[in-house]
Structure formats: structure tokens, C-alpha cells
Amino acid sequence: MKNSALQERKNKVFARGQGNAYPVYVERALNAEVFDVEGNRFIDFATGIAVCNTGHSHPDVVETVTKQVASFSHTCLMVNPYESAVTLAERLTQLAPGNSPKKAIFVTTGAEAVENCIKIAKCHTGRRGVIAFNGGFHGRTNLTMAMTGKIAPYKKDFGPFPSDIYHIPFPNELHGISEQDAMKSLHTLFKASIDASDVAAIVIEPVQGEGGFYAAPPPFLQQLRSVCDEHGIVLIVDEIQTGFGRTGKMFCSEYAGIEPDLMTMAKGIAGGFPIAAVVGKADIMDAPLPGGLGGTYGGSPVACAAALTVLDIIEREQLIDRASELGALFVNRLNGLKKRYPNTISDVRNTGAMIAIEFMQDSDVGHANTALTQAVIAKAAEHGLILLSCGFYSNVIRFLPALTMSDDIANEGLDKFEQLLDGLLQGTQELTTP
Ligand code: PMP
């Protein structure tokens, strides 16, 4: 079977809205490598968008999931619960930062977790307003799309949007937005658009994921914590992309030493099995009535079994430390490229194993090199690499290696990336955005 033939079949039956980054159809994947239907091997720097932190088909996950499916696959948590869900909630509430008693709910996708946070925050506060950040990403459902802070492709032509959602700038030193600027915008918003006493929640990613791997400075998160405390606003930290060891901590909020009121968890939680969670302070979590939260598939027994095993693997294989090690390895290599191409690479940054390289044009940080970013993505498969772009300005390549990736594979993949970039930049014509 050929990739091109499969892509042709897909294009006929899938709406273009559900696109795919590569016409590379997977046959199997193991740890940090993906093999396609044509027998090609790829080094995976995407992990299904930060999901397979413990690598593809980790043998322990395969074993527990197989066992679980053989005993039962679904009863619905809201009909007949099972011990694995209780144990998982116990472990997640223990792992969440801060000392307040916590409770959890399980849902199926990241967007659903964010939506439920908003429901819980509104129910708890009796307020209407939600504040999110420019460049933030929270999902593709009607509410989470409205909370997302980037128009194309996420919001374009999908309006009108739910009301009472406000956006303020995310601090981004590289692009000239200081913490003070962002804080000032929040206070201006309280004066101009919505009184702080009407705000149910402020939602922030500690490192913007789809937005470009920009980290919120810890003092900024601490200030947000104080503002929320002062005004009775629920602070929601969206850890969907940053969670489960990815950033060199179990949860990224730990860098700032803050305790979120509510946290979202998904992606890396279960090695690819669809489960997401809201974990938060017990008194806030208990605001909605019984039956007000949940769903048919939320907390699937198969996903709960996988998640418990993933937590064991993170601990046993010391993957939180490994995230920092991998981050250092990548940044070291990518900084070499930055030295070689100082007029084109504006920044190399990481928080643990959320690693990014940003492209500019003509030595101007403010002039995004989207064309080069697109060309890198387009060429990646030819070089045996799976790469993802991101960024408010669509000019960032993000690296999300499995935390179980060996140094050898990481270096092999980075060699390929280097060859790819050399090939694109050492021609006579530098790629530029028109
Ligand atoms: N929040 C963040 C921070 C995310 O990175 C994502 C997914 N990229 C979502 C929410 C939405 O998750 P899902 O695609 O599972 O709905």
C-alpha cells in the first residue's frame, strides 16, 4: 500500500478541516520510531502532539491495556465504576501541586477538560467572565475555540462566539511584551470591559503549546495567583501539553510554586489512550450537582489502566529528569545551528523537553519566517523525521521527543534536522515569506 494512494482515498472521504501534517501512513510505531506502510522509518519528534511521553507502545502499557480489555472494556464510570479510576484519581490529586484537598473528574479530550473547568468555575463563583491569553490554545469545541487566542485556522469563520470571553497579551519578551505590559492589560480590562467581580476564571498555559512554546515567567504566574486570590477568581492552569514530566517537572506550575485552583490534564497522561482530567481544589470541584459533569466515555477503564502504568513508568524510568536532559541535548545542538544561521534563527528555547527553534527574516525578530518553517515541515518526511510547527506567528518548529528517547536516536534525528536546514539555507536563495 502506498502513502499517496491512501492520502487520495482520505481526501475523498475526510473533510479538509481535519487535515494531516504528513501523507505518511503508520503501520507500526515503537518508542521513538515510526514505520510507515511503505517500510520507511521515521524518528518521531512529535509523539502524536506531546501524547506518547513514555514512547509508542511501551511494553508495560501494552500489557496492562491488553489485560484490561480482556476483563472488561466499558461499563461507564457513571453507571458501574471500577477501582482503577479511583486509584488514578487518588494519584492525580496527590500529584497536583499544592496542599489543599483536591478532587478530580475524568473526561475524554483536552477540550472537554477545559470546558468542564469553565463550567465548574462559573458554578462555583456564579460569575460570567472568562479571561484567556492571546496566542493561547484550549481546543476546538465551541467554547474552547472561543477561548483560543489565534484566529486562523482555529476561529476563522466559526463565529459568533460564546459571550464574556476576553483576551489579554501573554508575556513574551522576545516579541516585546513584558510581564508588566501583560499585567497592565489585565487591569485595563478590569476597568474597561469587565469588573473583576464578574470574572469567573483566568485560564493560562504555563508554556503556550500551539502558540509557540513561550513560557510564562514564574513571577507572572505568581502575580496572576495573587490577582485571583484578591478578587475571588478561579485560576485555571491548562497543563494539557505541559503535564506528565514533559517540562522537567511533573506539572509545569511547579516552576512557579503556585497552586492552581483547577488544572487540566490530558495528552501525556495515558500513552495515547483518550482520557483527560480536571483536578482542583475540592470545594470548587464540588460546586456542580451530581450528574452535572461527566459523560459516557469519561475515565474509560482501558485508559485508566494505561494512565496508572504511565505514572509508574514516569517514576521508575525517571522520565522527569530525562525531560531536562533531553531538553539540554536538543538546545545545545540547536544553538550550534543558531550560530551558523544568526540572520535566520531568532531563538532557541526550551522548558524541559518542550523545545523550540524560531525563524525570522533578515535578522528581524519581528519578521516571521513562515515560508522557511513550512519548507522545513514539508521536507521533514523526506529526511525521515516527524516534526511539528507552531507559533502565534507560525514560524516555530517544536520538538516533543518521547521522554524515553535515547541520546543516539535524538542525535540521529538532530543530524537529519541539521542536514535538512543546511539543504534549505545553503542554496543561493534564502527562503523568505512574501
Ligand atoms: N489545551 C492545550 C494547552 C492543548 O495543547 C490542547 C491540544 N493541543 C488542548 C487544550 C485541546 O486538547 P484536545 O485536542 O485533546 O481537545
Side-chain angles (χ1 to χ4, degrees):
M1 183 57 70
K2 281 265 184 223
N3 286 314
S4 55
L6 281 166
Q7 189 64 40
E8 217 169 285
R9 279 171 57 195
K10 179 177 180 262
N11 290 345
K12 283 196 183 128
V13 289
F14 272 85
R16 64 181 184 157
Q18 193 167 28
N20 51 298
Y22 297 101
V24 169
Y25 283 74
V26 182
E27 191 174 76
R28 66 197 166 87
L30 190 62
N31 198 8
E33 293 163 284
V34 169
F35 300 86
D36 75 1
V37 290
E38 295 179 15
N40 300 308
R41 168 183 173 263
F42 299 86
I43 292 178
D44 188 3
F45 283 160
T47 48
I49 323 185
V51 169
C52 297
N53 289 4
T54 49
H56 292 286
S57 297
H58 191 291
D60 294 2
V61 175
V62 172
E63 191 186 325
T64 40
V65 161
T66 310
K67 250 195 217 154
Q68 180 58 50
V69 172
S71 44
F72 67 99
S73 58
H74 177 81
T75 55
C76 183
L77 191 56
M78 301 178 85
V79 180
N80 297 113
Y82 22 87
E83 185 177 357
S84 57
V86 178
T87 310
L88 182 60
E90 285 169 351
R91 289 181 71 173
L92 294 177
T93 50
Q94 281 297 312
L95 287 169
N99 296 325
S100 310
K102 305 258 178 8
K103 286 195 170 184
I105 58 160
F106 293 154
V107 289
T108 311
T109 65
E112 228 187 322
V114 176
E115 288 241 10
N116 276 281
C117 282
I118 302 303
K119 283 173 66 175
I120 296 165
K122 285 186 172 175
C123 191
H124 170 73
T125 58
R127 302 176 182 181
R128 63 188 167 89
V130 173
I131 299 174
F133 287 83
N134 295 345
F137 184 87
H138 299 291
R140 289 182 173 83
T141 59
N142 205 40
L143 177 64
T144 57
M145 161 186 68
M147 292 164 64
T148 287
K150 184 176 175 183
I151 301 294
Y154 308 124
K155 302 169 84 153
K156 180 110 178 58
D157 301 329
F158 288 130
F161 301 110
S163 62
D164 296 307
I165 294 168
Y166 303 86
H167 288 92
I168 57 170
F170 188 88
N172 184 336
E173 216 181 298
L174 186 70
H175 290 282
I177 304 166
S178 68
E179 287 170 49
Q180 289 82 353
D181 294 337
M183 228 356 113
K184 201 167 162 204
S185 300
L186 179 62
H187 289 294
T188 305
L189 188 81
F190 288 156
K191 280 264 174 263
S193 305
I194 182 164
D195 195 84
S197 64
D198 279 335
V199 176
I202 297 179
V203 188
I204 188 162
E205 296 162 87
V207 178
Q208 286 195 329
E210 305 306 308
F213 284 22
Y214 301 108
F220 183 74
L221 290 172
Q222 290 154 9
Q223 281 186 72
L224 273 189
R225 181 63 278 175
S226 309
V227 169
C228 287
D229 287 341
E230 185 186 342
H231 297 289
I233 297 169
V234 175
L235 178 61
I236 300 171
V237 181
D238 184 345
E239 292 249 17
I240 286 169
Q241 194 155 158
T242 50
F244 299 97
R246 171 58 58 188
T247 65
K249 298 274 183 198
M250 184 53 106
F251 295 105
C252 191
S253 306
E254 293 168 37
Y255 281 110
I258 57 158
E259 179 172 14
D261 294 314
L262 300 177
M263 268 176 77
T264 55
M265 305 177 185
K267 291 193 185 279
I269 187 172
F273 290 85
I275 180 169
V278 177
V279 174
K281 293 181 181 166
D283 57 324
I284 301 177
M285 290 293 292
D286 268 336
L289 289 174
L293 306 172
T296 306
Y297 295 112
S300 135
V302 182
C304 284
L308 287 170
T309 308
V310 162
L311 291 177
D312 290 341
I313 297 167
I314 291 174
E315 206 177 298
R316 198 182 58 239
E317 299 187 14
Q318 299 175 1
L319 296 185
I320 298 180
D321 291 342
R322 182 66 188 150
S324 302
E325 271 173 31
L326 274 169
L329 184 157
F330 273 71
V331 161
N332 190 26
R333 295 278 314 257
L334 296 174
N335 270 330
L337 284 171
K338 185 166 179 266
K339 270 204 196 114
R340 195 180 308 166
Y341 301 112
N343 304 329
T344 306
I345 298 173
S346 53
D347 196 35
V348 169
R349 56 181 172 271
N350 79 307
T351 310
M354 278 181 99
I355 307 135
I357 185 167
E358 179 161 336
F359 297 122
M360 63 184 164
Q361 228 166 274
D362 306 327
S363 309
D364 178 3
V365 177
H367 198 169
N369 201 333
T370 313
L372 174 60
T373 314
Q374 284 169 346
V376 170
I377 294 291
K379 284 256 179 233
E382 277 174 38
H383 288 261
L385 277 183
I386 300 178
L387 288 176
L388 291 172
S389 64
C390 64
F392 190 60
Y393 309 96
S394 306
N395 63 330
V396 178
I397 297 288
R398 56 176 148 169
F399 299 85
L400 288 160
L403 307 181
T404 48
M405 181 180 275
S406 67
D407 281 7
D408 283 351
I409 297 262
N411 278 315
E412 187 191 344
L414 286 162
D415 288 344
K416 289 172 188 284
F417 183 73
E418 201 170 319
Q419 285 157 12
L420 192 174
L421 208 61
D422 284 343
L424 286 170
L425 292 177
Q426 284 181 1
T428 44
Q429 224 163 346
E430 212 174 90
L431 273 156
T432 53
T433 309

Coordinates of all heavy atoms in Angstrom, one line a residue, residues 49 109-111 114 137-139 205 210 238 240-241 267, ligand 1:
I49 N 1.7 14.8 19.1 CA 1.5 16.1 19.8 C 1.5 15.9 21.3 O 0.5 16.1 22.0 CB 0.2 16.9 19.4 CG1 -0.1 16.7 17.9 CG2 0.3 18.3 19.8 CD1 -1.3 17.5 17.4
T109 N -11.3 14.3 26.2 CA -10.4 15.1 25.4 C -9.9 16.3 26.2 O -10.6 16.7 27.2 CB -11.0 15.6 24.1 OG1 -12.1 16.5 24.5 CG2 -11.6 14.4 23.3
G110 N -8.9 16.9 25.7 CA -8.4 18.1 26.4 C -9.4 19.2 26.4 O -9.6 19.9 27.4
A111 N -10.0 19.4 25.2 CA -11.0 20.5 25.1 C -12.1 20.3 26.1 O -12.6 21.2 26.8 CB -11.6 20.5 23.7
V114 N -11.1 21.5 29.5 CA -11.1 22.9 29.6 C -12.6 23.4 29.8 O -12.9 24.2 30.6 CB -10.4 23.6 28.4 CG1 -10.6 25.1 28.5 CG2 -9.0 23.2 28.3
F137 N -4.0 28.3 23.3 CA -4.8 27.3 22.6 C -5.5 26.4 23.7 O -4.8 25.9 24.6 CB -4.0 26.4 21.7 CG -4.8 25.4 20.9 CD1 -5.4 25.7 19.7 CD2 -5.1 24.1 21.5 CE1 -6.2 24.8 19.0 CE2 -5.9 23.2 20.8 CZ -6.4 23.6 19.5
H138 N -6.8 26.3 23.5 CA -7.5 25.5 24.5 C -8.5 24.5 23.9 O -9.1 23.7 24.7 CB -8.3 26.4 25.5 CG -7.4 27.4 26.2 ND1 -6.6 26.9 27.2 CD2 -7.2 28.7 26.1 CE1 -5.9 28.0 27.7 NE2 -6.2 29.0 27.0
G139 N -8.5 24.4 22.6 CA -9.3 23.3 22.0 C -10.2 23.8 20.8 O -10.1 25.0 20.4
E205 N -1.9 28.8 29.9 CA -1.0 27.7 29.7 C 0.4 28.1 30.3 O 0.8 29.2 29.9 CB -0.7 27.4 28.3 CG -2.0 26.9 27.5 CD -1.7 27.1 26.0 OE1 -1.1 26.2 25.4 OE2 -2.1 28.1 25.5
E210 N 0.5 25.3 21.3 CA 0.3 25.6 19.9 C 0.8 27.0 19.6 O 1.2 27.4 18.5 CB -1.2 25.5 19.5 CG -1.8 24.2 19.9 CD -1.1 23.0 19.2 OE1 -0.9 23.0 18.0 OE2 -0.8 22.0 20.0
D238 N -3.9 25.4 32.4 CA -4.1 24.4 31.3 C -2.8 23.7 31.1 O -1.9 24.2 30.5 CB -4.6 25.0 30.0 CG -4.9 24.0 28.9 OD1 -4.5 22.9 29.1 OD2 -5.6 24.4 27.9
I240 N -2.4 20.7 29.7 CA -2.7 19.6 28.7 C -1.4 19.2 28.0 O -1.1 18.1 27.8 CB -3.9 20.0 27.8 CG1 -5.2 19.9 28.7 CG2 -3.9 19.1 26.6 CD1 -6.4 20.5 28.0
Q241 N -0.7 20.2 27.5 CA 0.5 19.9 26.7 C 1.8 19.8 27.6 O 2.8 19.2 27.3 CB 0.7 21.0 25.6 CG 1.7 20.5 24.6 CD 1.6 21.1 23.2 OE1 2.5 21.2 22.4 NE2 0.4 21.6 22.9
K267 N -3.4 14.5 27.1 CA -2.2 14.1 26.3 C -1.3 13.1 27.0 O -1.6 11.9 26.9 CB -1.4 15.4 26.0 CG -2.2 16.3 24.9 CD -1.3 17.3 24.4 CE -1.9 18.3 23.5 NZ -2.1 17.8 22.1
Ligands
PMP1 N1 -5.2 22.8 25.7 C1 -3.9 22.7 25.3 C2 -2.8 23.5 26.1 C3 -3.6 21.9 24.2 O1 -2.3 21.8 23.8 C4 -4.6 21.2 23.6 C5 -4.3 20.3 22.4 N2 -3.2 20.7 21.6 C6 -5.9 21.3 24.0 C7 -6.2 22.2 25.1 C8 -7.0 20.6 23.4 O2 -6.9 19.2 23.6 P1 -7.7 18.2 22.7 O3 -7.1 18.3 21.3 O4 -7.4 16.8 23.3 O5 -9.1 18.5 22.7

